[in-house]
Amino acid sequence: ILLLVFIGFFGNVAFISTVLSRRKCRSSRALLLCILCSLHCVMLTHFFMNVLRTFNGTKLTKQECIFALTIPPTMYAVSHQAMLYLLLGFDLLISLIDPAKHHQIRTIPYVVALQVP
């Protein structure tokens, strides 16, 4: 389990660094995927903490367990990630319907506008 967490975290960080370091890779879809990868890193960190707690044999009370499962950054990451999957599909649909117009949209304002709930 820990190996998969490390591989997933490394893959997310590698994708983010590749997109941000190469200008030609900064499309709207790639930036949306970068946001998705960063949210996934938050979730993997939370999962890693839970696995360590389990391996250490730490017993939690009911209140501690509920708080551990509903840590605000993790809950935000889960809900925002679900919305991003929908937005990626919407972005793909726009690019299929009118590719010329989609290519003309300025990337950063478009990605920021899609992040507003």
Side-chain angles (χ1 to χ4, degrees):
I1 292 176
L2 291 178
L3 179 65
L4 294 176
V5 170
F6 285 123
I7 290 171
F9 196 83
F10 175 75
N12 288 332
V13 171
F15 182 80
I16 292 169
S17 64
T18 300
V19 169
L20 296 180
S21 66
R22 298 186 182 179
R23 187 160 181 82
K24 65 180 179 179
C25 293
R26 291 186 204 157
S27 66
S28 60
R29 195 165 301 121
L31 290 176
L32 288 172
L33 285 172
C34 278
I35 295 169
L36 194 64
C37 285
S38 64
L39 294 171
H40 195 245
C41 285
V42 170
M43 292 175 51
L44 285 174
T45 304
H46 178 75
F47 181 72
F48 179 70
M49 291 185 327
N50 285 339
V51 167
L52 286 181
R53 191 179 300 125
T54 302
F55 284 160
N56 288 338
T58 305
K59 301 291 182 188
L60 298 176
T61 64
K62 185 176 181 179
Q63 291 288 21
E64 292 171 337
C65 184
I66 290 172
F67 179 74
L69 292 175
T70 60
I71 295 175
T74 305
M75 291 303 291
Y76 172 77
V78 169
S79 61
H80 196 87
Q81 198 173 26
M83 203 54 195
L84 269 177
Y85 284 119
L86 180 66
L87 290 173
L88 281 166
F90 177 71
D91 183 59
L92 183 61
L93 181 66
I94 291 173
S95 68
L96 290 174
I97 291 174
D98 195 359
K101 185 164 178 121
H102 185 266
H103 188 67
Q104 291 175 350
I105 297 173
R106 291 184 3 186
T107 304
I108 299 298
Y110 176 69
V111 171
V112 170
L114 287 179
Q115 299 309 308
V116 176

